Amino acid sequence: MSKGIAYESDRGCIIVAAALLDKQLEDSIRKHIKRFSVSKSLEKSLFDLSGPISNFSAKISICRSFGLIDEIAYKDLMILRKLRNSFAHEAEGASFTSASVRQKVKSMHFVQHCMKELEIDRYNYTEKPKEENKDDTDKKHHPKMLEEWKTLADGFLNYDKVMFCFAVDELEYHIKHYSNLGIPPPKTLSQGIKEIKKSKSQTAKD
């Protein structure tokens, strides 16, 4: 998992993740450009602040249009782009505890994949008794939410944030492999981790 972004603030995690994948897309484009003997000055002008592919959105579109990424990577990158934009400009709701953020994160292909493949222990929050829920209209003071905030303050990581960080690694690996060979990797990182764990478990039993 990308520990460097996992322990960033939620806003920092999303923004840095987008920057890492922006760099990966740029590397893929630059490698593709070199096949056509483009001058260094022209290549540089493409990525300058006023250049045609200077921003994240343009790089995503260019990479998809030229077959450097597939549709799976494209859709996940577009979700990340929207998250990055909202986190960069909104003071409220820029958190993995936000329902709308969780929904977007969980819609990412590689997040779903990591949730399926990786066995991560989760903290079980206690639900508020039904009888106490009747007169409680202030969601900010819901015990389950307060308990979640406390576990975060104690240094535990939000589950959706952890899965997002794993997914960033998966997405970066997927992009590298696809842009180089034109096909997805035969095995994802999380599948490899799962096989290693299974192999070690089997060895321990023997």
Side-chain angles (χ1 to χ4, degrees), residues 44-61:
K44 182 178 181 298
S45 69
L46 295 173
F47 301 98
D48 282 344
L49 289 176
S50 58
I53 44 178
S54 60
N55 61 63
F56 192 32
S57 178
K59 287 169 189 168
I60 295 171
S61 298

Side-chain angles (χ1 to χ4, degrees), residues 19 23-24 38 45 47 60 63 118 145 202:
K23 179 63 168 59
Q24 180 55 53
V38 174
S45 69
F47 301 98
I60 295 171
C63 283
L118 297 172
M145 183 176 289
Q202 188 62 43

Side-chain angles (χ1 to χ4, degrees), residues 128 132-143:
K128 191 173 184 180
E132 294 182 25
N133 272 328
K134 293 178 180 178
D135 300 322
D136 184 10
T137 57
D138 188 354
K139 294 182 179 179
K140 290 185 179 180
H141 299 293
H142 193 292

Side-chain angles (χ1 to χ4, degrees), residues 8 12 22 27 41 53 61 65 73 78 114 118 169 185 198 202:
E8 291 275 355
D22 183 296
D27 289 345
S41 60
I53 44 178
S61 298
S65 298
M78 291 302 286
C114 289
L118 297 172
D169 285 343
K198 186 177 180 181
Q202 188 62 43

